[in-house]
Amino acid sequence: LVGLKRNFKGIRVLEEEVITEHGDPKLLQNQFVAFVKRCYSNGYLPKLALYDNEQATLGRGLESACLLAGLPIMVKPCKKDKIIERIHQFQTLMGAYMFETERKCEKTIKAYKEAVWAENKEERLDIVSPTNPVDILDSVEYAAQPWIKDLMTVALYGDRK
């Protein structure tokens, strides 16, 4: 769960749920619904969940599960930027002290510490595995996409125009 700070002064990872078991759509849907419910029980009001636009079947399943559970959250595909742009965006946010992570989000912190970038290439060099930090990084980047242009304006020029 990523939250936006007032006046586009940054974003913060508030909650995390890392799902390492892949393959069972029903299990994934149940885990996602449980995560959203946990966010609500912790006082957060998630309104939008974004998924990789290349995973339409997954997204429809998550949307259906949320509707069946009566959760007031929209589930939509992310209009993601190219990977190199997302890397630069998050480097900019970090450099401007506009990206924070709650200490309890240990897997997110670990993923950023262990991220490996390919110099002069548009890819990450992380090892693909069930505990791959790329999924964590992607999910944070997707969550920020609706606000990224405004965040970049504040990071680079100091005020939203």
Side-chain angles (χ1 to χ4, degrees), residues 26 29 63-71:
K26 197 67 171 164
Q29 292 165 12
E63 182 178 19
S64 175
C66 288
L67 286 170
L68 289 171
L71 296 172

Side-chain angles (χ1 to χ4, degrees), residues 15 52 60 72-73 76 89 98 104 108 110 121 125 137 139 151:
E15 293 281 345
D52 188 331
R60 284 192 299 275
I73 186 170
K76 302 224 175 249
Q89 290 162 350
M98 293 176 62
K104 66 184 174 186
T108 302
K110 184 176 187 252
K121 293 185 180 180
L125 297 177
L137 303 178
S139 66
L151 288 165

Side-chain angles (χ1 to χ4, degrees), residues 18-29:
V18 178
I19 299 168
T20 58
E21 296 293 322
H22 298 281
D24 182 355
K26 197 67 171 164
L27 175 63
L28 178 63
Q29 292 165 12

Side-chain angles (χ1 to χ4, degrees), residues 1 15-40 49 58 61-63 65-66 69 71 73 107 130:
L1 176 67
E15 293 281 345
E16 69 179 5
E17 179 71 27
V18 178
I19 299 168
T20 58
E21 296 293 322
H22 298 281
D24 182 355
K26 197 67 171 164
L27 175 63
L28 178 63
Q29 292 165 12
N30 291 339
Q31 290 173 316
F32 181 72
V33 165
F35 172 68
V36 173
K37 286 181 178 180
R38 187 177 88 223
C39 291
Y40 278 109
L58 166 74
L62 296 177
E63 182 178 19
C66 288
L71 296 172
I73 186 170
K107 291 179 180 147

Side-chain angles (χ1 to χ4, degrees), residues 52 80-91 94 99 108 110-129 131-145 148:
D52 188 331
K80 59 188 179 185
D81 291 331
K82 291 181 181 178
I83 184 63
I84 193 70
E85 292 171 11
R86 296 194 326 255
I87 292 168
H88 289 195
Q89 290 162 350
F90 272 77
Q91 286 176 329
M94 289 175 189
F99 177 69
T108 302
K110 184 176 187 252
Y112 276 97
K113 284 182 177 179
E114 294 179 356
V116 180
W117 316 108
E119 192 171 329
N120 299 320
K121 293 185 180 180
E122 295 188 22
E123 61 187 77
R124 291 190 182 110
L125 297 177
D126 307 80
I127 298 168
V128 176
S129 73
T131 58
N132 187 351
V134 171
D135 288 340
I136 296 170
L137 303 178
D138 284 345
S139 66
V140 173
E141 292 164 359
Y142 297 167
Q145 282 302 298
I148 201 67

